[in-house]
């Protein structure tokens, strides 16, 4: 009598190959390593903070989260145009301030008729920023010493910055890092800070 070729409910036991196990552990190890490295990079190189107030509008908005590169200024120094994050006068109890570097060490800064002058020359095109109603301490020429920076908010008439006596020039040691990119808010999603 021949073998019956109908339905068979016999299941062969499948063996898990050692190659499959190695592949699974390889993937798990890769994912865990990636998570660990991302955490280390963010912890050692960067941090996040929130914009407080309207002083950096229209580029950065109140409540917007930004990523700060804390490593870059260990290799380089801030340059004019950089958006920096700092603690005013190193005050650990203050919130982080976010402002744009207008002048650096060795520069002479003064605000004349609402416009910023650096080393005796106008530093603004007039179309980028509003005329400043208050010159603050920059009504008289300020010579920046080594490691000192003059910072301003982009929204010049709604900014507490180096013009204010309680902020003044910012020492390099008080700069936490460079504002690198924004993570949320302002209606334009994620993007690098200009």
């Amino acid at each position: 009598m021949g073998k019956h070729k109908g339905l068979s409910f016999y299941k062969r036991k499948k063996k898990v190959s050692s190659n499959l196990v190695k592949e699974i552990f390889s993937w798990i190890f890769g994912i865990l390593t990636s998570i660990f490295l991302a955490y280390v990079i963010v912890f050692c190189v960067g941090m996040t903070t929130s914009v407080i107030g309207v002083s950096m509008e229209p580029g950065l908005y109140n409540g917007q989260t930004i990523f700060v590169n804390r490593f870059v200024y260990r290799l380089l120094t801030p340059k004019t145009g950089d958006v920096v994050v700092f603690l005013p006068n190193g005050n650990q109890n203050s919130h982080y301030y976010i402002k744009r570097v207008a002048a650096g060490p060795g520069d002479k800064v003064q605000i004349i008729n609402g416009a910023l002058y650096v080393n005796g020359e106008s530093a603004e095109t007039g179309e980028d920023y509003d005329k400043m109603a208050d010159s603050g301490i920059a009504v008289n020429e300020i010579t920046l010493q080594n490691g000192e920076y003059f910072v301003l908010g982009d929204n010049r008439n709604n900014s507490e910055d180096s013009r204010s006596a309680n902020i003044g020039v910012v020492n390099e040691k008080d700069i936490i890092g460079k504002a690198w990119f924004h993570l949320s808010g302002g209606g334009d999603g994620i993007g690098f800070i200009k």
Side-chain angles (χ1 to χ4, degrees):
M1 193 166 177
K3 284 191 173 182
H4 179 56
K5 294 197 175 201
L7 293 174
S8 172
F9 294 103
Y10 172 75
K11 288 186 177 180
R12 263 183 15 194
K13 288 186 178 180
K14 292 184 179 181
K15 291 185 179 180
V16 177
S17 72
S18 61
N19 287 341
L20 180 61
V21 171
K22 286 180 187 176
E23 183 74 20
I24 290 170
F25 279 113
S26 170
W27 275 93
I28 291 171
F29 179 75
I31 291 169
L32 291 176
T33 301
S34 298
I35 292 170
F36 175 75
L37 288 175
Y39 176 78
V40 167
I41 288 169
V42 168
F43 182 75
C44 293
V45 175
M47 65 177 249
T48 59
T49 191
S50 294
V51 176
I52 296 175
V54 297
S55 71
M56 289 302 289
E57 288 184 1
L60 298 173
Y61 295 86
N62 186 38
Q64 191 171 30
T65 301
I66 62 165
F67 183 79
V68 182
N69 183 335
R70 296 190 305 182
F71 184 71
V72 68
Y73 293 141
R74 291 182 185 169
L75 301 174
L76 307 169
T77 57
K79 63 181 189 301
T80 301
D82 283 358
V83 177
V84 296
V85 177
F86 65 97
L87 288 171
N89 303 306
N91 183 354
Q92 297 292 325
N93 296 321
S94 176
H95 66 83
Y96 292 113
Y97 278 62
I98 302 163
K99 306 293 177 196
R100 189 174 303 278
V101 174
D107 288 334
K108 295 179 185 211
V109 180
Q110 188 172 11
I111 296 172
I112 302 169
N113 296 325
L116 174 68
Y117 283 78
V118 177
N119 300 321
E121 296 182 18
S122 176
E124 298 174 342
T125 61
E127 57 197 48
D128 294 334
Y129 304 108
D130 291 335
K131 184 176 178 179
M132 290 176 267
D134 182 15
S135 300
I137 64 170
V139 69
N140 298 312
E141 187 176 79
I142 299 169
T143 300
L144 300 172
Q145 303 303 312
N146 192 32
E148 291 183 337
Y149 296 87
F150 192 85
V151 299
L152 294 170
D154 289 353
N155 188 358
R156 299 287 168 84
N157 289 311
N158 290 296
S159 177
E160 184 180 35
D161 46 39
S162 286
R163 295 172 291 164
S164 306
N166 62 327
I167 303 291
V169 296
V170 176
N171 287 307
E172 190 170 2
K173 66 179 178 54
D174 298 330
I175 296 175
I176 305 301
K178 181 178 182 178
W180 203 3
F181 61 89
H182 56 85
L183 300 174
S184 62
D188 55 356
I190 297 173
F192 284 94
I193 297 172
K194 297 173 190 165

